[in-house]
Amino acid sequence: MNKKLYQLANNLTSDYHTDSNVQATRLSDLEIKKYSDTVLTRIRNNKYNTAPEKHNTTDILSADNQRAASRGRRTIRKTAQYAAAAACIALVLGVTVFSSDVHAAIEHIRWSLSSALGLPGDLTDYSDIINTTVTDQGYMITLQEVIATDEKLVVNYTIQREDGESMGEIPLMPDSEQLYINGKNATNAVSGGSGFIEDEHTIVGISSTFDVPGVDMAQENTYQLKLESLDNYDLDTKIKGTWNFSFTADGSDIITDTTTLPISRTFTVAEGVTVTLEELTMNKLEQRISYRMEGSTDYLLQLTATDSTGRQAQFDTKIFQGKNGIGYMQNQEIIDDGRISESAETVTMTLYAVEIPKESGRMNDNYVQLGEPFEVKLR
């Protein structure tokens, strides 16, 4: 196992916050429609740090978006979940932050995956509405919506007390999220976001992304999501219980509607270290850039993109499997535009890299540009 990555993951610190300054108000019909279409499409000026979660996996080292952590944005959930194995090292980086807009709109709209992930588009053509509630130990967990896509399953669910009372200032979250696909444990790495979704702190909303490499998601599969014990990590409160869900999902539609464009550009990262950007893939759920690194596992990548319509996007390392040197960057939508436009003809990209610290400690933000900006044709 790469000792540097193990030390890095084990020295992350945590800050969990919620936005308690938003006043719930009744909305006009026009405002309700606006929020229904666009709630949580912006991530603005949020501060967060990261923390390890008590979650066991077999071969994934998972850490939160280190760039955002060093810049000091705020999340409403601990989003780092990690483990490592000697045979394979991987990095999972991701963040979802819930905007204050949801507080005003939650009374009127279903809390959808689009809202939870802060996406501007509608995912209903590709998602499955589950809307199933399981109650244990006085707590109700409702699995609302799921979407299966290439090598991942994304879910969102809510937690609330059966008596409807407030859960206090710190949201409870599952101590363990286990995913089974067709009866086999497929839990490799989990990232996501959570927070109270109304001012009274009676409902916690959670979105989780399960990375499931090697699973054929372009068919109908049977899934079991098993949640165990609710923890309040700041106050060391634990509610022991089990909340299990079974459902089916088929990722063939969104996989079919995914655009894949070759990049095929190789860059020198350091002496004896190269990285090849292989493909850009885009769909309603995400945009990602796959890559292959040779000569080292000690670097994270970041890429900025400006398309021909003027929109900007930033891609950060989401998955890196050190054993075989493959990984991908995902657009984190941490700037206003967030995504490459579907109508753009070309996009200009600039690649950056940062070395993982040799000693334990927090990641820095000293990304270094690799090579010159380059253009990719989208049509």
Side-chain angles (χ1 to χ4, degrees):
M1 185 181 70
N2 188 312
K3 183 177 180 181
K4 287 179 286 185
L5 298 187
Y6 181 82
Q7 290 175 330
L8 172 65
N10 280 279
N11 282 275
L12 296 171
T13 60
S14 66
D15 263 331
Y16 312 138
H17 302 278
T18 60
D19 189 346
S20 60
N21 297 321
V22 182
Q23 299 297 319
T25 57
R26 302 297 298 181
L27 305 178
S28 68
D29 290 342
L30 182 61
E31 288 172 322
I32 292 171
K33 182 179 186 304
K34 171 187 174 183
Y35 283 125
S36 298
D37 293 338
T38 65
V39 68
L40 297 181
T41 61
R42 295 171 290 116
I43 296 175
R44 297 189 186 278
N45 300 326
N46 295 293
K47 179 187 291 184
Y48 80 95
N49 294 310
T50 56
E53 178 168 321
K54 306 170 190 175
H55 183 76
N56 295 321
T57 60
T58 57
D59 62 355
I60 298 292
L61 174 82
S62 158
D64 205 32
N65 186 300
Q66 46 75 34
R67 177 187 183 277
S70 61
R71 292 271 178 138
R73 283 194 308 280
R74 179 166 78 176
T75 189
I76 323 178
R77 178 197 183 189
K78 58 177 174 36
T79 56
Q81 304 184 26
Y82 69 87
C88 177
I89 298 169
L91 291 173
V92 178
L93 299 99
V95 63
T96 300
V97 184
F98 301 145
S99 163
S100 61
D101 291 346
V102 74
H103 295 274
I106 193 63
E107 296 179 49
H108 308 281
I109 64 173
R110 180 178 59 85
W111 187 61
S112 68
L113 264 176
S114 295
S115 298
L117 298 174
L119 299 178
D122 186 357
L123 295 175
T124 54
D125 288 342
Y126 305 109
S127 66
D128 290 280
I129 308 301
I130 308 301
N131 196 28
T132 298
T133 299
V134 176
T135 302
D136 192 14
Q137 302 300 312
Y139 285 83
M140 302 185 303
I141 298 184
T142 301
L143 180 61
Q144 295 197 355
E145 192 173 0
V146 304
I147 183 168
T149 185
D150 187 32
E151 296 192 335
K152 71 173 53 178
L153 180 82
V154 186
V155 306
N156 72 321
Y157 56 91
T158 56
I159 302 173
Q160 56 193 130
R161 289 170 55 123
E162 193 173 9
D163 60 13
E165 294 297 315
S166 171
M167 284 181 273
E169 294 301 313
I170 309 298
L172 289 168
M173 289 163 287
D175 184 53
S176 173
E177 296 176 287
Q178 297 289 322
L179 178 68
Y180 291 77
I181 303 179
N182 301 326
K184 297 181 179 180
N185 194 327
T187 312
N188 286 315
V190 189
S191 60
S194 73
F196 291 112
I197 57 177
E198 37 67 78
D199 291 335
E200 289 73 24
H201 290 188
T202 62
I203 305 174
V204 177
I206 294 179
S207 66
S208 292
T209 297
F210 295 83
D211 290 281
V212 289
V215 178
D216 182 8
M217 304 298 278
Q219 63 178 3
E220 183 176 271
N221 293 307
T222 299
Y223 300 86
Q224 291 82 40
L225 176 63
K226 299 184 178 182
L227 308 176
E228 295 182 356
S229 297
L230 301 178
D231 271 5
N232 180 321
Y233 288 91
D234 279 8
L235 300 181
D236 197 26
T237 300
K238 176 174 285 191
I239 293 90
K240 294 183 179 180
T242 302
W243 297 264
N244 294 337
F245 301 88
S246 297
F247 54 94
T248 60
D250 185 341
S252 58
D253 287 343
I254 194 168
I255 292 173
T256 298
D257 290 346
T258 297
T259 300
T260 301
L261 299 165
I263 299 178
S264 302
R265 287 181 176 266
T266 300
F267 298 82
T268 297
V269 180
E271 185 175 355
V273 183
T274 61
V275 60
T276 300
L277 303 184
E278 296 185 328
E279 294 178 336
L280 166 66
T281 58
M282 301 187 292
N283 57 40
K284 292 289 186 180
L285 177 66
E286 64 176 1
Q287 297 178 343
R288 68 166 73 169
I289 296 172
S290 60
Y291 68 88
R292 181 179 299 275
M293 187 175 294
E294 297 181 355
S296 176
T297 61
D298 296 339
Y299 292 86
L300 298 179
L301 300 181
Q302 183 182 98
L303 184 143
T304 59
T306 303
D307 68 28
S308 55
T309 71
R311 295 185 66 175
Q312 301 178 68
Q314 179 174 302
F315 294 76
D316 291 287
T317 301
K318 182 71 189 291
I319 292 277
F320 179 57
Q321 301 178 38
K323 182 179 180 180
N324 52 26
I326 63 173
Y328 69 83
M329 293 173 279
Q330 181 177 315
N331 67 311
Q332 301 295 343
E333 305 210 28
I334 60 177
I335 55 179
D336 288 347
D337 298 332
R339 297 170 70 88
I340 297 170
S341 172
E342 295 178 357
S343 63
E345 299 286 336
T346 62
V347 59
T348 300
M349 299 180 172
T350 306
L351 181 64
Y352 303 85
V354 64
E355 187 174 10
I356 297 169
K358 292 181 172 59
E359 303 295 333
S360 62
R362 187 175 304 281
M363 281 294 304
N364 63 57
D365 198 27
N366 298 325
Y367 280 86
V368 176
Q369 181 174 326
L370 305 180
E372 297 298 323
F374 60 97
E375 185 177 88
V376 175
K377 292 183 178 181
L378 304 178
R379 303 180 182 280

